[in-house]
Amino acid sequence: MESKTSVGSFQHVLLLLFLLFCFGGVFYTYYKPAMSWLSCPIVSASTHKICTDECLNFLTENYNQSVNSTVLNYTKVNQQQQQLITKAAVTGANTIILIWRWPFGYKFDDKACSPKFGIEGCQFTDNRSQYDEAHGVLFHHRDITTDLETLLKRPRPPHQKWVWMNMESPDNSGRQTVLNDLFNLTTNYRRDSDVWVPYGRILSASEEDKPFKIPPKDKLVCWIVSNWNPYFRRVKYFTELSRYIKIEAYGRHFNRYVSNENYKTILPSCKFYLAFENSIYKDYFTEKLFNSLEVGTVPVVLGPPRENYEEFIPPDSFIHIDDFKTPQELAEHLKFLDTNSPMYEQYFNWRQHFTAHGSLFGIEHACRSCEHIKNNKGFRVFKNLNKWFWG
Ligand SMILES: *[C@@H]1O[C@H](CO)[C@@H](O)[C@H](O)[C@H]1NC(C)=O
Ligand SMILES: *[C@@H]1O[C@H](CO)[C@@H](O)[C@H](O)[C@H]1NC(C)=O
Ligand SMILES: *[C@@H]1O[C@H](CO)[C@@H](O)[C@H](O)[C@H]1NC(C)=O
Ligand SMILES: *[C@@H]1O[C@H](CO)[C@@H](O)[C@H](O)[C@H]1NC(C)=O
Ligand SMILES: *[C@@H]1O[C@H](CO)[C@@H](O)[C@H](O)[C@H]1NC(C)=O
């Protein structure tokens, strides 16, 4: 959660930006956010407003006021259930997904499923009166609250699948035993979730993509951090690394706030960006990585092992801290690349054929879950969520 983007196609930048701010342990930050540049209390897919982490904190803090959903009378529901299911079958060209709560308050529209993902026939609703008609119910982990108790008492229509959505790492998500055997599907950054939505993807370059050019650089190594925690491995590594190489560090901790606009200029202007994750988990690489790749900055990663990264991004597109015995050796390598352009440019060879794009938070999960439910009508139970996700 420490950054924002620019360059490339404007839309993708926006997607990245949104993601960027919506993840990464935002809610476990140890500071009170400064609200000075809060400009987007509600994020809208149609206007492409982006949401900063401050904004998200704001949303969370004000969530109780912003959510006002109908509480159903379950007795009534039971009586109406058969009727509704029949109705759904008659009118039901669409796969209905009930969004239990808008993820982090971020609302989105089913109309975007077709143009963005080529997925047709999805209908999203936040009207809980449509519970019995819904083919799927999407639950965002961080927005599951005390209403769970009520939820559990609710009869589950036989055709309905409950989808568990979460993009935070286990460290940044509270374990809840009660969730164990509730869900039918998972949608998550993990490759082994049912509906996989990574933070970003490497795609084949299309004709619409402009030929890639390394953007002009006036900084060597940059880091933007909003969640400064001295106990995080990344902070220790940073501290050691900065003894051997100059790092342009931004964020509250350094008294150098970065606005969205600034972020768009800063990131591409750095030769290297420290894409250091706040917690280390398989498949957990966030917008820090994909933004750097997209704008043309070489990411230096701290996260799961290199092999894991190489399952998702080209091996020559990034530098892994584990490639070096010590931070000092890494610093020397970066300094060497600084003076050796042909070697530095090698890190962009992959851009001749590929581009990087961030995922769309919330809407991508909902559209892809809808598609999955549409195409997989069978019975499915996801056993023991806690063991799977938290280990
Ligand atoms: C909603 O308000 C209740 C009572 O004030 C509080 O316990 C709960 O944490 C709040 N929920 C959220 C999501 O802020
Ligand atoms: C929730 O919505 C109902 C019906 O629209 C309204 O009467 C009520 O005042 C709302 N409650 C809050 C807390 O906004
Ligand atoms: C719920 O609906 C049933 C059947 O229509 C009715 O008898 C009951 O009073 C309702 N309960 C509440 C709390 O509204
Ligand atoms: C919610 O759905 C119910 C049942 O389909 C409908 O009667 C009601 O008007 C809807 N409410 C809103 C706010 O759309
Ligand atoms: C979904 O999972 C629940 C809980 O394990 C199970 O009771 C239900 O039958 C499942 N439904 C479908 C359609 O797979």
Side-chain angles (χ1 to χ4, degrees), residues 70 84 87 125-130 133:
T70 324
L84 285 169
K87 187 175 142 214
T125 179
D126 60 2
N127 182 347
R128 292 186 188 178
S129 301
Q130 285 180 284
E133 289 173 80

Side-chain angles (χ1 to χ4, degrees), residues 237-255:
Y237 197 96
F238 162 83
T239 307
E240 184 67 11
L241 184 65
S242 60
R243 292 174 58 203
Y244 304 104
I245 192 166
K246 180 169 164 48
I247 301 175
E248 293 288 342
Y250 301 86
R252 206 161 279 111
H253 179 77
F254 301 98
N255 270 324

Side-chain angles (χ1 to χ4, degrees), residues 101-271:
R101 281 171 192 265
W102 295 106
F104 292 138
Y106 165 57
K107 293 188 179 175
F108 43 78
D109 197 326
D110 47 49
K111 288 184 191 63
C113 290
S114 174
K116 294 212 186 300
F117 310 108
I119 297 168
E120 307 283 348
C122 296
Q123 187 189 326
F124 301 158
T125 179
D126 60 2
N127 182 347
R128 292 186 188 178
S129 301
Q130 285 180 284
Y131 173 81
D132 292 278
E133 289 173 80
H135 302 88
V137 186
L138 184 73
F139 298 93
H140 180 227
H141 182 76
R142 297 293 292 271
D143 292 316
I144 295 175
T145 52
T146 45
D147 58 6
L148 192 66
E149 301 283 313
T150 351
L151 196 58
L152 294 180
K153 292 190 199 122
R154 185 162 250 192
R156 287 174 71 160
H159 63 279
Q160 188 178 79
K161 287 190 171 122
W162 287 15
V163 187
W164 182 78
M165 168 190 167
N166 188 18
M167 287 299 274
E168 299 287 347
S169 78
D171 281 359
N172 298 327
S173 327
R175 179 198 284 259
Q176 294 191 52
T177 318
V178 68
L179 302 181
N180 240 353
D181 296 315
L182 279 189
F183 297 98
N184 307 93
L185 302 170
T186 56
T187 180
N188 186 246
Y189 60 82
R190 271 176 58 160
R191 189 66 190 88
D192 60 349
S193 58
D194 300 293
V195 180
W196 178 51
V197 181
Y199 275 80
R201 298 172 204 261
I202 303 295
L203 302 176
S204 295
S206 75
E207 307 206 329
E208 291 154 34
D209 293 307
K210 286 193 236 102
F212 176 74
K213 240 180 120 251
I214 300 175
K217 308 285 182 185
D218 60 14
K219 299 174 201 71
L220 185 53
V221 185
C222 301
W223 193 34
I224 303 172
V225 59
S226 62
N227 183 2
W228 175 272
N229 181 335
Y231 300 105
F232 281 175
R233 183 175 169 213
R234 64 181 183 186
V235 167
K236 294 181 183 154
Y237 197 96
F238 162 83
T239 307
E240 184 67 11
L241 184 65
S242 60
R243 292 174 58 203
Y244 304 104
I245 192 166
K246 180 169 164 48
I247 301 175
E248 293 288 342
Y250 301 86
R252 206 161 279 111
H253 179 77
F254 301 98
N255 270 324
R256 292 173 87 186
Y257 303 128
V258 177
S259 69
N260 292 0
E261 280 312 306
N262 287 347
Y263 177 78
K264 291 186 207 170
T265 8
I266 293 169
L267 190 60
S269 71
C270 312
K271 283 195 173 174

Side-chain angles (χ1 to χ4, degrees), residues 294-308:
E294 177 164 7
V295 304
T297 291
V298 177
V300 177
V301 305
L302 179 156
R306 170 173 269 280
E307 296 72 49
N308 192 201

Side-chain angles (χ1 to χ4, degrees), residues 26 28-34 53-54 57 226-228 252:
V26 175
Y28 281 69
T29 47
Y30 295 76
Y31 56 81
K32 246 333 200 200
D53 47 351
E54 279 79 359
N57 279 315
S226 62
N227 183 2
W228 175 272
R252 206 161 279 111

